[in-house]
Amino acid sequence: MMSFNHYGYNSLKNEQTNKRLRTADYDRESRTTNSSVSSYEDGRRKNAETQPNHILLLTITKVTYPINTDVIHTISKDHGNVLRIVIFRKRGVQAMVEYEEVEQAIKAKQLMDGADIYQGCCTLRVEYAKPSKLNVYKNDSETWDYTTPNPGEKKTAPLLPDPPRAPLISTRPTFPRFDFECRGGLLSTPHDLPNNNYGDSYPATPGRCVLMVYGLDPDKANCNRLFNLFCLYGNVVKIKFLKSKEGCAMVQMDNEMSVDRCMDNLNKLTLISGNVLQLQVSKQMYLSDIMVPYDLPDGTPSFKDYSNSKNNRYHSNSNGKNRRQTPSSVLHFFNAPPNISEADLSQTISKAVKDVDLKIIIKMFPPKGTEARSSSGLVEFTDMAIAVEVIMAVNHWPIKCETSKFPYLLRLCFSSLPKGIANAEMAQ
């Protein structure tokens, strides 16, 4: 018979039962505590993401006109007292606007998020920024501190008295400042500009006009192929490939507006090789000339100067003629020989891209008059990456014509019919 004294079985069993109860209570309490902590952390993380701040982050897409501190201040000042503005262009065009109070930033976000600066372009995406204060060291087209006329400047006594003549270096601002009127979008189209067309006759500025281009195919990439693509969005000045970084090049555009258009349309573009084209704004102000460039794998030089190239399309006499469209699988061609047939054009494109089995749909536009000097139309491909490859390989391709002493330079650009030729014909 089993003993049930103080040191016996019954005592041991009770002790084990109490231990299990204590363990279960501890586990239950631990789970409750962890759940509470997790809920608190999730709530804190969620609140941190949506926490209003007196500084707003503005992301501008569909950039067609220049963005500077004047433009940002003009669209922001009606919602509160703007203290500082900082614009950066590393991944597209973005700006931070610091208001005096959080309530002013909340009001500005509600009214500006999703709006167009100008009618049909320069669309805003407004978010709360994380910094508590913006640091501004100078007032120019990229940064501005509205609380002080000379930010970051230390006033010291001059080493010499008044100069005997005018200063050798001009202290005039390097970027023009304009006044804008409200009309259509948040602002009207800039009116105080040469030829009344800022997009095509934008003056050359000494800002950041150099782009870093990553993700190129080392075996096929060369200066002319890059020029054929980048010239669709601005005048190309110089192109240089980096010997130390395979598949990397630098492209100098004529002004910051061209850089913004390239960033907006060509960044993260998928190429036919499967590589993704990545663009970043370089800290270099310009590209220096290289007297003896090295040869690329295809035998062409790694550096070229296009500043005097006739294939650059953005000139004062070409206002309104440039078709700036986002990349698509449909291309618009023009300046082809007037008597070229669809079969000849298809053969020319297939020969240039070295793909005999390339599937192409061509639609020729009716000639303008009985004595048309050239022909134009649309070319559709099965994939946008193929269309990008055709732009790089076939743009400015010479086509001989019996009626002309000189060959025609076939010009290409992306079409405004991204859904295809067949859908456009059905809509008509």
Side-chain angles (χ1 to χ4, degrees), residues 182-200:
C182 290
R183 181 185 65 192
L186 297 179
L187 297 178
S188 66
T189 302
H191 54 79
D192 205 10
L193 302 164
N195 301 321
N196 293 325
N197 193 323
Y198 214 140
D200 290 336

Side-chain angles (χ1 to χ4, degrees), residues 197-331:
N197 193 323
Y198 214 140
D200 290 336
S201 58
Y202 184 75
T205 62
R208 293 188 176 181
C209 302
V210 180
L211 284 168
M212 298 294 301
V213 185
Y214 302 95
L216 299 170
D217 187 354
D219 297 328
K220 299 172 64 176
N222 58 39
C223 295
N224 286 339
R225 287 172 60 90
L226 274 184
F227 173 82
N228 290 340
L229 180 62
F230 280 76
C231 72
L232 303 183
Y233 303 103
N235 291 334
V236 180
V237 179
K238 298 175 184 177
I239 296 179
K240 179 180 74 173
F241 278 79
L242 302 182
K243 193 172 185 179
S244 58
K245 292 183 180 180
E246 193 176 51
C248 177
M250 303 179 73
V251 180
Q252 179 182 345
M253 306 299 292
D254 60 338
N255 52 56
E256 292 181 355
M257 189 69 249
S258 299
V259 171
D260 293 342
R261 286 194 291 256
C262 291
M263 290 291 299
D264 198 32
N265 292 280
L266 301 179
N267 191 27
K268 298 182 180 179
L269 185 67
T270 302
L271 304 179
I272 195 171
S273 61
N275 297 349
V276 177
L277 199 67
Q278 296 183 356
L279 306 183
Q280 288 186 1
V281 181
S282 174
K283 295 181 179 180
Q284 289 189 215
M285 305 297 287
Y286 60 91
L287 295 181
S288 302
D289 292 337
I290 298 178
M291 303 306 298
V292 185
Y294 72 94
D295 289 338
L296 296 172
D298 63 352
T300 59
S302 58
F303 173 83
K304 277 193 175 183
D305 188 337
Y306 294 93
S307 56
N308 296 321
S309 175
K310 295 182 179 180
N311 293 327
N312 275 319
R313 305 181 181 183
Y314 289 77
H315 304 288
S316 58
N317 58 355
S318 62
N319 295 339
K321 296 182 180 180
N322 292 303
R323 299 170 179 261
R324 294 188 298 270
Q325 301 292 339
T326 56
S328 66
S329 61
V330 182
L331 301 180

Side-chain angles (χ1 to χ4, degrees), residues 384-403:
M384 185 176 68
I386 301 177
V388 174
E389 174 68 16
V390 171
I391 285 280
M392 299 177 73
V394 188
N395 198 10
H396 308 120
W397 186 270
I399 301 178
K400 294 182 179 180
C401 181
E402 296 179 354
T403 59

